[in-house]
Amino acid sequence: MKLYLLRILKLIFGLFLFALGIALTIKADLGYAPWEVLHSGVGRVIGLQIGTVTILFGAIIVLVVFILKEEIGIGTILNMILIGAFMNIILDFNLIPHIENVVIRLILLICGLFTIALGSYFYMSSEFCAGPRDCLMVVLTKRTKLPIGVCRGIIEVLVVLIGWLLGGSVGIGTVISAFCIGFCIQITFKIFRFDAIKLKHENIKDTFKKISIRI
């Protein structure tokens, strides 16, 4: 049970880092990161907070990932819920101050991308299954045999195009995020010698079965 608690804490910490990274890219105010372009566009249309739209899209992607027969675990579900919730808290309470200097904002953007990558490492390595968007990344990597960074980059560019058509906030930061996030993830995973394809994830059924046996 202690091992499971540590893994769950690792998962939640990773999700918080992921949300923090997104918030950093937003507060850099150079144009939203790809998924946030989509989420902000949809949020503007239906009148919801960007974190709330993040949760809604997470639920849709979970359904798609399930159809593609990728494992769904408690990590997938918590990712769907907590990242959007953490984003709303960080942004609503203005935990990241507004910065005027463009150079510092650019540094903030890059820091945000690496924080997202670090968050991905922590919650994926807890092996409770990847989150909705990373599940798509892993599925694409498995099916195309392309490097994981390249697959992530393809996904990011596509969601930017859709988000832009919906009126999402696009700027130079969006371009940097779209083309750099995959490489930030690849660099971070390489530093930690982490191979997302070789993970042995537990789906929801297996997790609850093991917990019940230990109890």
Side-chain angles (χ1 to χ4, degrees), residues 4 23 45 64 66-67 69-70 91 95 109 154 174 203 206:
Y4 266 88
V45 171
V64 173
F66 179 77
I67 293 173
K69 298 181 180 180
E70 188 68 22
L91 295 173
L95 298 181
L109 173 66
I154 290 171
T174 307
N203 58 36
D206 290 340

Side-chain angles (χ1 to χ4, degrees), residues 79-131:
N79 179 297
M80 179 184 75
I81 298 170
L82 292 183
I83 288 180
F86 284 141
M87 282 175 60
N88 281 341
I89 292 171
I90 294 170
L91 295 173
D92 287 349
F93 285 90
N94 292 315
L95 298 181
I96 304 170
H98 177 71
I99 299 172
E100 295 290 344
N101 187 285
V102 176
V103 175
I104 296 178
R105 282 158 55 194
L106 180 59
I107 293 172
L108 190 67
L109 173 66
I110 299 301
C111 288
L113 295 178
F114 274 105
T115 302
I116 289 171
L118 187 61
S120 296
Y121 161 72
F122 272 104
Y123 85 75
M124 290 180 71
S125 63
S126 68
E127 295 188 303
F128 283 121
C129 288

Side-chain angles (χ1 to χ4, degrees), residues 24-32 98-99 105 108-109 169 173:
L24 288 171
T25 64
I26 291 174
K27 296 297 286 188
D29 198 22
L30 294 170
Y32 287 176
H98 177 71
I99 299 172
R105 282 158 55 194
L108 190 67
L109 173 66
S169 178

Side-chain angles (χ1 to χ4, degrees), residues 26 29 47-48 58 60 106 109 119 124 131 138 141-142 148 173:
I26 291 174
D29 198 22
L48 291 176
I60 294 171
L106 180 59
L109 173 66
M124 290 180 71
V138 172
T141 301
K142 287 180 178 179
I148 194 165

Side-chain angles (χ1 to χ4, degrees), residues 1 7 10 16 26 29-30 69 130 202 215:
M1 287 302 298
R7 286 173 61 196
K10 186 178 184 180
F16 172 76
I26 291 174
D29 198 22
L30 294 170
K69 298 181 180 180
E202 290 179 11
I215 293 177

Side-chain angles (χ1 to χ4, degrees), residues 35 39 54-55 57-58 61 79 131-137 155:
W35 280 102
H39 298 156
T54 299
I55 295 171
F57 264 90
I61 297 171
N79 179 297
R133 295 157 188 80
D134 286 317
C135 277
L136 282 179
M137 177 179 66
I155 294 172

